[in-house]
Amino acid sequence: MPRSSHRKKHKTHVQQFKKDHGHAASSIRRSSSFPVFTIIGGLLGAIVGYIATNGELLWVGVGLAIGALAGYLIGRKVDADNAKK
């Protein structure tokens, strides 16, 4: 007569994924946001420099650099605020 208490558990392949799923979901790390802010700030600075000086390349470059620097600093501040939470 078979002994049902000695049978292996069913669906062991599904049980191992249930354990890993909760652990893997919590270990996902968000990427930083400062590259996005840097690019957007640089583009906005270049646009403002172009409009303000009617396309003078020197000032468009200066606007791009200042906008990128401002975007970088804002992005780092956003990352630092998100890390505190």
Side-chain angles (χ1 to χ4, degrees):
M1 184 162 153
R3 294 191 268 172
S4 61
S5 62
H6 291 267
R7 291 177 54 195
K8 292 182 181 178
K9 291 183 179 179
H10 293 285
K11 301 180 184 177
T12 56
H13 61 282
V14 175
Q15 290 176 352
Q16 70 184 2
F17 290 119
K18 286 182 181 178
K19 293 177 185 174
D20 292 340
H21 179 67
H23 178 40
S26 65
S27 66
I28 295 174
R29 183 174 178 263
R30 294 186 59 213
S31 62
S32 60
S33 61
F34 80 90
V36 175
F37 279 94
T38 303
I39 292 170
I40 291 173
L43 289 175
L44 288 175
I47 290 170
V48 168
Y50 181 80
I51 292 171
T53 62
N54 294 325
E56 189 77 30
L57 286 179
L58 173 69
W59 295 109
V60 171
V62 170
L64 179 114
I66 292 172
L69 179 65
Y72 174 80
L73 294 174
I74 291 170
R76 284 295 184 183
K77 176 71 174 157
V78 168
D79 286 343
D81 289 343
N82 286 338
K84 289 180 183 178
K85 290 182 180 180

